[in-house]
Amino acid sequence: MLTASVIAVADPAHKEVLVSGAQYGMHNISSVVRGGPFLFISGIRGTIDPRSGRTVSEETQESFGAQTRMAYEIIRAILGEVGADASRILRLDCYIRDMNRAGEDALIRTEVLGNLPCASTIVGLPLGARGEVEITAIALASGYEKQLLVTGTEGALPNIVGAEGFLFVSECHADRNLPGDRAAQLENALSVLDVGLRQAGSGLSRIVRLELYLQDIHFSQAAHAILRRRFKDDPPVLSVMGADLESLSEVKLNAIAV
């Protein structure tokens, strides 16, 4: 099964390729594209060091840490090329082969990028080839202001950052006291998302893009029914993907709103 999601600009003049993919070993895509005030960074894998061309550790216990560190270092270098730094990151999505390594990812991210206030999500996906991790980001171009509107806490609200009229929301979890009840977890996660958005001056009705990760993709039909009840005749753009999640978690979601 293939899932694809797209963000585009209405006016072609608002799009500019800032860094080619060839500079970082990506020959068929661009590394960074600017769309209006936003910088869109391609999915980065740390399997090759673009500075030396050497292959990073593969299929060993050390592979995850080495590849994750390389991926974050590449993101930092790419941002530096366009006059930005990690503090400009609005949203960071991390896809890893083994969710048991999520804590390791968090430590490495902080070491390389610093204590980063942004919207972030991490899920487990069956990455192809020998890649252990793939990381993509949306950042803010220089000259624009980024705001941390809601500071998330473990098991409570998500981080929400704002820029140029858009709100970027971190992953939303359901209450841990709902193990095995997928419908209740989704309802609860949507409520957490709504509370966070309201604190940021928005709400569910103002979501333009919603991404839903399911431990069991066969729950997708029931999930769509729940979302239809919540959003009624004004649904956002939606992506639903099967993914490996934390223990006892059946659903996870994130969003972009206005």
Side-chain angles (χ1 to χ4, degrees):
M1 183 178 70
L2 175 66
T3 298
S5 58
V6 176
I7 297 176
V9 291
D11 185 343
H14 293 163
K15 174 188 173 181
E16 180 184 4
V17 176
L18 299 182
V19 181
S20 71
Q23 293 174 242
Y24 289 91
M26 299 178 287
H27 297 286
N28 60 336
I29 56 177
S30 299
S31 293
V32 181
V33 173
R34 178 168 178 171
F38 302 114
L39 306 174
F40 297 90
I41 300 175
S42 286
I44 303 296
R45 294 197 180 193
T47 52
I48 296 177
D49 184 344
R51 299 162 293 193
S52 65
R54 72 173 178 84
T55 299
V56 179
S57 174
E58 297 178 348
E59 297 185 323
T60 69
Q61 184 62 26
E62 293 74 33
S63 296
F64 178 81
Q67 291 185 22
T68 300
R69 185 174 299 278
M70 180 57 62
Y72 284 124
E73 288 178 354
I74 291 172
I75 288 173
R76 184 176 62 187
I78 287 174
L79 286 170
E81 286 202 37
V82 298
D85 57 32
S87 69
R88 309 294 292 173
I89 293 175
L90 300 166
R91 170 170 167 164
L92 198 63
D93 294 314
C94 183
Y95 310 110
I96 62 178
R97 188 189 295 275
D98 182 1
M99 272 299 287
N100 293 320
R101 312 295 289 270
E104 194 174 340
D105 165 79
L107 290 174
I108 294 171
R109 180 189 305 183
T110 301
E111 289 176 9
V112 178
L113 300 182
N115 188 12
L116 189 61
C118 70
S120 64
T121 299
I122 183 168
V123 296
L125 292 178
L127 301 175
R130 296 183 175 87
E132 299 288 340
V133 60
E134 182 168 320
I135 304 165
T136 185
I138 301 174
L140 190 63
S142 60
Y144 298 93
E145 183 182 358
K146 168 185 171 181
Q147 296 175 297
L148 178 59
L149 300 175
V150 178
T151 301
T153 55
E154 182 65 29
L157 298 180
N159 272 358
I160 301 180
V161 294
E164 293 302 296
F166 287 90
L167 304 176
F168 299 86
V169 186
S170 275
E171 59 186 33
C172 293
H173 299 270
D175 190 306
R176 300 292 185 181
N177 295 318
L178 299 169
D181 191 337
R182 293 170 294 187
Q185 286 196 24
L186 177 53
E187 293 278 14
N188 184 255
L190 287 166
S191 295
V192 170
L193 174 58
D194 189 35
V195 171
L197 285 171
R198 288 180 184 278
Q199 285 198 16
S202 184
L204 286 184
S205 64
R206 292 170 65 178
I207 294 175
V208 295
R209 175 172 168 173
L210 182 69
E211 294 177 359
L212 173 61
Y213 299 96
L214 301 176
Q215 184 74 34
D216 180 4
I217 193 61
H218 296 100
F219 177 61
S220 59
Q221 185 172 353
H224 276 284
I226 292 171
L227 294 173
R228 282 195 296 271
R229 289 199 300 272
R230 283 285 189 134
F231 291 100
K232 298 183 173 59
D233 295 327
D234 191 24
V237 169
L238 174 67
S239 294
V240 180
M241 290 159 278
D244 186 20
L245 306 177
E246 294 86 346
S247 176
L248 302 181
S249 291
E250 296 285 343
V251 302
K252 180 184 287 189
L253 50 83
N254 61 30
I256 300 175
V258 293

